[in-house]
């Protein structure tokens, strides 16, 4: 006997509500929402804690990231991670992939630690170098509050071009993108989630983060959870195209001065 249409609709609605409240099931008992939150926090901490290394040649200068990451978590989340070591492996791989994409090197194999913090309600990430003298310890909160303190000199003249028509200057260090009108970049397209993606200014560069959207975030046709943007990158949010650009002050082209006298006959 087939289920009546209204019962099927109610069952579907109940399942969607359960996902919103409990988080969509992920892998090995870790919800997708928690995985995204942990990955976002780790990558943000890495990007905000890099230091420059040089072997004497300025052109050979590289960025080095801390290789020890301590996750300070509420007790329940800490217990989840400690009983699911495979999730730590996934997070470590995501961290290495983000570093490779950004041309950042590790001084050693990145290591993740989990510490239960009974007094904490939010995740924090403590980063440090395993080698002495490489850098000081640094703590980053998952909300990326450090991005809010940006001097005018660090703010690039960046912008987004949506659908090839509308230009949005990026004048804030945190920019939310989605279908909800409260977002800094409002996209009126039903394919786009209400809060679809977020741009964060980290170390003078904008990084895009997918906010667990339904349609996904793509940069140059590659699905990403986070990505450091370069001028000319084409972003697609559930199919809606956005082009990232930076005005570096140089003209887009040049105008050649034409001669006032006509050219000689033999040159025509």
């Amino acid at each position: 006997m087939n289920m009546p249409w209204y019962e099927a609709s109610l069952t579907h609605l109940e399942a969607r509500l359960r996902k919103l409240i409990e988080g969509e099931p992920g892998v090995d008992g870790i919800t997708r929402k928690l995985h995204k939150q942990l990955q976002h926090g780790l990558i943000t901490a890495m990007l905000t804690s890099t230091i420059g290394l040089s072997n004497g040649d300025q052109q050979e200068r590289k960025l080095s990231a801390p290789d020890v990451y301590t996750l300070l978590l509420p007790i329940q989340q800490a217990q989840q991670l400690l009983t699911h070591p495979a999730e730590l492996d996934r997070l470590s791989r995501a961290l290495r992939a983000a570093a490779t994409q950004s041309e950042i090197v590790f001084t050693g194999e990145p290591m993740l630690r989990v510490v239960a913090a009974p007094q904490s309600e939010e995740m924090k990430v403590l980063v440090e170098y395993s080698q002495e003298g490489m850098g000081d310890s640094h703590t980053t909160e998952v909300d990326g509050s450090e991005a809010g303190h940006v001097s005018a000199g660090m703010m690039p003249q960046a912008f987004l071009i949506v659908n090839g028509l509308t230009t949005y200057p990026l004048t804030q260090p945190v920019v939310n993108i989605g279908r909800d009108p409260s977002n800094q970049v409002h996209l009126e397209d039903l394919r786009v989630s209400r809060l679809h993606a977020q741009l964060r200014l980290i170390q003078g560069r904008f990084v895009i983060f997918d906010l667990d959207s339904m349609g996904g975030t793509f940069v140059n046709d590659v699905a990403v959870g986070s990505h450091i943007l370069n001028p000319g990158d084409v972003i697609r949010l559930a199919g809606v195209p956005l082009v990232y650009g930076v005005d570096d002050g140089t003209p887009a082209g040049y105008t050649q001065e034409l001669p006032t006298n006509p050219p000689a006959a033999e040159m025509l």
Side-chain angles (χ1 to χ4, degrees):
M1 182 177 180
N2 294 330
M3 182 183 299
W5 69 267
Y6 57 85
E7 289 188 15
S9 298
L10 288 174
T11 301
H12 179 67
L13 177 60
E14 182 182 353
R16 288 182 61 86
L17 288 173
R18 187 179 300 112
K19 286 182 181 180
L20 289 174
I21 296 172
E22 300 176 359
E24 185 176 350
V27 181
D28 294 336
I30 299 295
T31 64
R32 183 181 175 189
K33 180 178 180 180
L34 178 58
H35 172 78
K36 291 279 188 179
Q37 183 185 35
L38 294 168
Q39 179 175 299
H40 180 182
L42 284 167
I43 293 175
T44 299
M46 177 189 71
L47 293 174
T48 56
S49 308
T50 56
I51 62 174
L53 296 179
S54 177
N55 61 359
D57 185 349
Q58 190 66 23
Q59 294 183 349
E60 294 296 324
R61 187 177 179 84
K62 295 182 178 180
L63 288 175
S64 173
D67 54 346
V68 181
Y69 296 78
T70 303
L71 294 163
L72 304 175
L73 298 168
I75 293 178
Q76 184 177 2
Q77 292 183 351
Q79 289 176 342
Q80 275 190 280
L81 274 187
L82 290 172
T83 54
H84 296 86
E87 171 65 6
L88 292 176
D89 290 338
R90 283 191 293 273
L91 291 171
S92 180
R93 289 196 298 271
L95 199 60
R96 290 196 299 269
T100 299
Q101 170 199 312
S102 306
E103 297 184 351
I104 296 172
V105 298
F106 289 108
T107 55
E109 188 69 15
M111 179 173 59
L112 306 185
R113 297 171 176 165
V114 178
V115 175
Q119 304 300 322
S120 178
E121 296 181 357
E122 297 288 343
M123 180 183 79
K124 296 182 180 180
V125 183
L126 174 67
V127 301
E128 55 189 317
Y129 289 85
S130 60
Q131 299 181 18
E132 293 185 3
M134 289 295 296
D136 297 328
S137 296
H138 179 74
T139 302
T140 301
E141 296 196 21
V142 69
D143 63 1
S145 56
E146 292 194 5
H149 305 284
V150 182
S151 64
M154 292 179 59
M155 196 75 184
Q157 300 298 310
F159 55 88
L160 289 176
I161 301 175
V162 180
N163 280 322
L165 299 172
T166 308
T167 300
Y168 289 86
L170 302 178
T171 59
Q172 301 177 39
V174 179
V175 178
N176 291 328
I177 309 172
R179 199 173 76 248
D180 194 292
S182 64
N183 292 305
Q184 285 83 7
V185 178
H186 174 214
L187 303 178
E188 294 185 6
D189 193 300
L190 293 178
R191 296 172 295 175
V192 176
S193 298
R194 290 188 177 276
L195 184 55
H196 196 110
Q198 185 180 80
L199 294 176
R200 303 193 74 87
L201 186 64
I202 300 175
Q203 299 254 337
R205 299 180 66 183
F206 274 105
V207 181
I208 189 167
F209 292 91
D210 180 77
L211 299 181
D212 203 23
S213 65
M214 293 295 293
T217 298
F218 298 79
V219 177
N220 301 326
D221 295 325
V222 177
V224 299
S226 60
H227 183 89
I228 298 177
L229 294 174
N230 294 302
D233 279 348
V234 178
I235 306 164
R236 292 189 183 274
L237 305 183
V240 178
L242 303 87
V243 177
Y244 175 76
V246 176
D247 183 2
D248 58 4
T250 58
Y254 68 95
T255 302
Q256 184 179 10
E257 184 178 351
L258 298 177
T260 56
N261 297 322
E266 60 268 19
M267 296 182 63
L268 296 176

